[in-house]
Amino acid sequence: MLALRGSLRRLSQALVHQVCSPFTTGHRQQEGTFYEFCTYYLKPASVEEFLYNFKKNVHLRTAHSELVGYWTVGFGGRINTVFHIWKYDNFAHRAAVYKALAKDEDWQEQFLIPNLPLIDKQESEITYLVPWCKIGKPPKEGVYELATFLMKPGGPALWGEAFQRAVNAHADQGYIKLIGVFHAEYGLLNRVHVLWWCENADARAAGRRQAHEDPRVVSAVRESVNYLDVQQNMFLIPWSFSPLK
């Protein structure tokens, strides 16, 4: 009986920890707001044409929903790729937006139909902003890094606190600005994206070298990597019509 009570107590503590984890997206899901990560792989000869056409017609698309940022991939991923983030109040809002776009003759005729042949492949991922992070604002124009982490199964209750400490340890160094931390809801699960701003690629490289000599960063990262399976990052270049520059 004592053993059973002990097991139940440990289970209760584990559930409380899971519910109270600072990384869980539960209350974000209740609020409904989510961010769609869209990746378009363009045909190599069509990149400039596609971007010019989108720039010319971006107002038609942003009339329906909020564009957070629009970038091309500089390196670290497949080239000839554009990456953009859109904000929605909830899934009903997204469905209404896409229904309205399908009926928007200007959008269909001036951009979508002429530019579909320029796209080789499309991907979409639904993410929630983690509770302890709000969308940041860059201090000035610069470049961006999207760091993507595939964590071991177990969810934020297992790795959330360690991951948060690692992110904050880097942010505290000051050479980069944290823009957002996003947890995947639809797409590859157990995936977390961290979007950073920096002044330029060389400033980022110098800052990372210095950060890796800081014992606080080393300690936090060493703890977090125990839960890490795969990591990737991409260098992103914002376009002139991107709200995040």
Side-chain angles (χ1 to χ4, degrees):
M1 181 64 71
L2 290 176
L4 178 60
R5 288 178 179 174
S7 298
L8 290 174
R9 184 168 56 252
R10 288 191 294 271
L11 177 59
S12 176
Q13 291 171 344
L15 290 174
V16 168
H17 178 71
Q18 183 171 1
V19 171
C20 298
S21 170
F23 203 93
T24 181
T25 54
H27 91 268
R28 294 288 187 192
Q29 294 169 325
Q30 292 173 6
E31 292 175 358
T33 302
F34 65 82
Y35 298 82
E36 183 173 13
F37 283 24
C38 297
T39 305
Y40 292 178
Y41 303 100
L42 305 177
K43 296 178 181 178
S46 306
V47 177
E48 293 298 326
E49 180 182 358
F50 180 91
L51 290 168
Y52 172 79
N53 291 339
F54 191 83
K55 179 181 179 180
K56 187 171 60 175
N57 295 286
V58 63
H59 64 284
L60 299 175
R61 179 61 183 83
T62 55
H64 295 278
S65 61
E66 181 182 347
L67 174 64
V68 176
Y70 203 104
W71 302 267
T72 55
V73 175
F75 40 82
R78 178 173 167 177
I79 59 173
N80 304 314
T81 298
V82 295
F83 171 72
H84 35 119
I85 302 176
W86 298 86
K87 181 180 179 181
Y88 295 98
D89 297 335
N90 48 46
F91 287 101
H93 178 214
R94 182 184 182 277
V97 166
Y98 275 79
K99 184 177 180 180
L101 285 169
K103 296 179 179 179
D104 188 329
E105 293 183 2
D106 289 339
W107 170 252
Q108 294 287 328
E109 294 175 4
Q110 295 181 36
F111 178 78
L112 188 62
I113 294 174
N115 288 281
L116 279 177
L118 309 182
I119 302 173
D120 184 43
K121 180 182 177 182
Q122 293 175 276
E123 291 182 357
S124 170
E125 182 178 3
I126 302 299
T127 72
Y128 287 97
L129 196 65
V130 301
W132 49 270
C133 182
K134 296 181 179 180
I135 296 291
K137 294 183 179 180
K140 57 183 178 180
E141 292 188 11
V143 293
Y144 290 77
E145 177 184 1
L146 183 67
T148 299
F149 304 86
L150 182 62
M151 309 303 289
K152 293 181 179 178
L158 176 65
W159 41 259
E161 292 181 355
F163 190 88
Q164 181 180 355
R165 284 192 289 271
V167 170
N168 288 338
H170 275 289
D172 290 344
Q173 295 295 303
Y175 70 96
I176 48 176
K177 167 75 175 178
L178 179 61
I179 300 300
V181 181
F182 305 85
H183 189 199
E185 176 71 10
Y186 285 97
L188 187 61
L189 299 182
N190 298 307
R191 184 156 64 173
V192 186
H193 304 280
V194 183
L195 183 63
W196 301 97
W197 169 94
C198 57
E199 188 172 357
N200 54 60
D202 289 321
R204 180 252 182 206
R208 282 188 67 86
R209 286 194 296 270
Q210 183 177 348
H212 289 166
E213 296 175 358
D214 188 318
R216 294 167 296 181
V217 175
V218 173
S219 176
V221 171
R222 185 173 294 163
E223 179 187 12
S224 180
V225 296
N226 290 323
Y227 308 106
L228 179 63
D229 191 9
V230 178
Q231 178 180 351
Q232 181 183 2
N233 65 344
M234 292 192 301
F235 182 79
L236 302 175
I237 304 169
W239 272 76
S240 59
F241 52 82
S242 175
L244 287 174
K245 293 185 176 62

